[in-house]
Amino acid sequence: MIGDRETLLAAAEALRNARRALVIAHANPEGDAIGATLGLGAVLELLGAQVVCANQDPLPKTLGFLPGSDRLVASELDPQQFDLVAVVDCGALHRVGRIADKLADHPNLLNFDHHLSNDGFGTLAYVDPQASSTGEVLWRLIKTADLPADQRVAANLYTAIYTDTTQLSNGACTPAAFAACGELMALGADPVGTARELYQRQTASRLKLLGRALLTLDLHGGRFASVVVTQSDFDKTEATVDDLEGFVELVRSINGVEVAMLVREAPGGKTKASLRSNGPIDVSAVASKLGGGGHRAAAGLTTDLPLEQAISRLLEIIGDHAG
């Protein structure tokens, strides 16, 4: 863990003193990044600050139901206009994206996270790798320091925990995570509505994209499995990157599979991959070999390698870790 109770209380005092605050997470955000961003933003508003919630990349459309999601802005702004910047769910400052260099020397930079790989950047850093999510870390902050919270905070932090634990079902789901979810429900989080919005709504384009992806399923000897999505697949189905949500989890559910991969073409000739582990293989260590990161059981990366070369390299690295 980076930081202790005193760090947490000092960070809370910095939040209380903020007048104009920026909250931002890693690029290519998912549920924990957005939930933590919007949840902490709402806390700061309750404390009387003017708040901007930002991200380099667009809001995933599945998260448009979250309170405050319509106020998320692009991160092409000057951090020096803010007397406080809070970076959430970000293991290294460069993962914020294009404005990372402008953030590095900010005099009041807070770092709230749960990634084991977090390097402790910022003037105050509180990182707990044992926490299920950054949403859980922020709920601990709120309770420890008696910060204000309302239904907006509850909805966002519940979603952060719920998504990063794969619907309260993966290895990150601890008694503390369940307890936090219960407390957030009491504050106004809606578990039924959240599940429906995130996982029980389908579009025809998403199902068409899934069908095309599953046609590429390769078991690589049975221990590792992959599916591939190309730009042509997006074009022919009229689907978007957001429609990929959950694909890699389906691959991971195959009996006997230890590591699942979703590999796709990305703009600029790059390749992106989402990795999931069912066992002892640490996919964050795999991803780090190609400049990515994440958690032991879930990680991601972006590489300049073309699609087929990226798959071959990933299989090679995974094989090395599998022994």
Side-chain angles (χ1 to χ4, degrees):
M1 177 182 286
I2 298 173
D4 52 17
R5 179 184 171 85
E6 293 307 311
T7 302
L8 207 58
L9 293 174
E13 190 62 20
L15 295 174
R16 286 192 178 95
N17 293 332
R19 292 295 171 260
R20 182 166 169 77
L22 170 66
V23 186
I24 190 168
H26 61 77
N28 299 309
E30 31 55 77
D32 192 19
I34 294 298
T37 298
L38 299 178
L40 184 57
V43 170
L44 281 158
E45 287 186 341
L46 291 171
L47 289 169
Q50 293 182 327
V51 183
V52 174
C53 293
N55 199 279
Q56 172 179 296
D57 294 310
L59 177 82
K61 62 185 179 183
T62 55
L63 298 172
F65 72 98
L66 288 173
S69 60
D70 57 331
R71 297 174 54 190
L72 192 77
V73 302
S75 58
E76 299 302 317
L77 35 77
D78 180 8
Q80 300 305 324
Q81 295 177 351
F82 301 89
D83 58 79
L84 178 139
V85 177
V87 180
V88 296
D89 198 42
C90 196
L93 193 56
H94 72 84
R95 294 205 63 220
V96 167
R98 289 184 291 270
I99 68 166
D101 289 344
K102 298 179 181 178
L103 289 174
D105 60 353
H106 195 282
N108 200 12
L109 181 66
L110 307 187
N111 170 5
F112 298 108
D113 191 26
H114 74 126
H115 291 93
L116 181 62
S117 59
N118 193 290
D119 58 17
F121 67 86
T123 53
L124 283 171
Y126 185 83
V127 182
D128 182 5
Q130 300 302 312
S132 65
S133 56
T134 303
E136 183 183 330
V137 168
L138 292 177
W139 182 237
R140 183 186 305 161
L141 165 73
I142 290 167
K143 292 178 61 182
T144 300
D146 196 25
L147 295 176
D150 60 9
Q151 189 276 335
R152 297 173 300 160
V153 176
N156 279 294
L157 297 190
Y158 178 91
T159 297
I161 299 169
Y162 187 67
T163 54
D164 240 31
T165 57
T166 316
Q167 305 170 63
L168 298 173
S169 68
N170 67 25
C173 198
T174 63
F178 273 103
C181 285
E183 291 161 357
L184 291 166
M185 286 172 60
L187 192 60
D190 177 5
V192 175
T194 300
R196 182 168 54 247
E197 291 288 349
L198 289 171
Y199 302 112
Q200 297 170 12
R201 293 187 187 275
Q202 302 277 358
T203 62
S205 58
R206 182 182 185 279
L207 292 178
K208 289 177 182 178
L209 184 65
L210 176 60
R212 294 179 69 90
L214 291 177
L215 288 174
T216 72
L217 178 64
D218 193 331
L219 295 181
H220 304 290
R223 295 179 67 189
F224 318 133
S226 66
V227 291
V228 175
V229 176
T230 66
Q231 188 55 52
S232 175
D233 293 326
F234 287 117
D235 294 341
K236 290 181 178 178
T237 60
E238 299 183 347
T240 68
V241 171
D242 290 344
D243 290 313
L244 295 172
E245 179 69 31
F247 283 18
V248 71
E249 301 296 342
L250 287 174
V251 180
R252 177 161 67 171
S253 70
I254 298 171
N255 287 336
V257 166
E258 296 177 28
V259 175
M261 300 185 289
L262 168 65
V263 188
R264 68 175 176 90
E265 289 181 335
K270 297 182 183 297
T271 299
K272 289 182 176 290
S274 296
L275 312 177
R276 299 291 185 271
S277 175
N278 275 326
I281 298 175
D282 181 351
V283 289
S284 68
V286 173
S288 69
K289 297 290 186 181
L290 291 174
H295 305 286
R296 185 177 187 86
L301 62 98
T302 301
T303 175
D304 292 328
L305 292 174
L307 196 65
E308 293 302 324
Q309 289 184 33
I311 295 171
S312 296
R313 180 62 180 138
L314 279 167
L315 288 170
E316 179 183 343
I317 298 169
I318 292 167
D320 290 342
H321 281 76

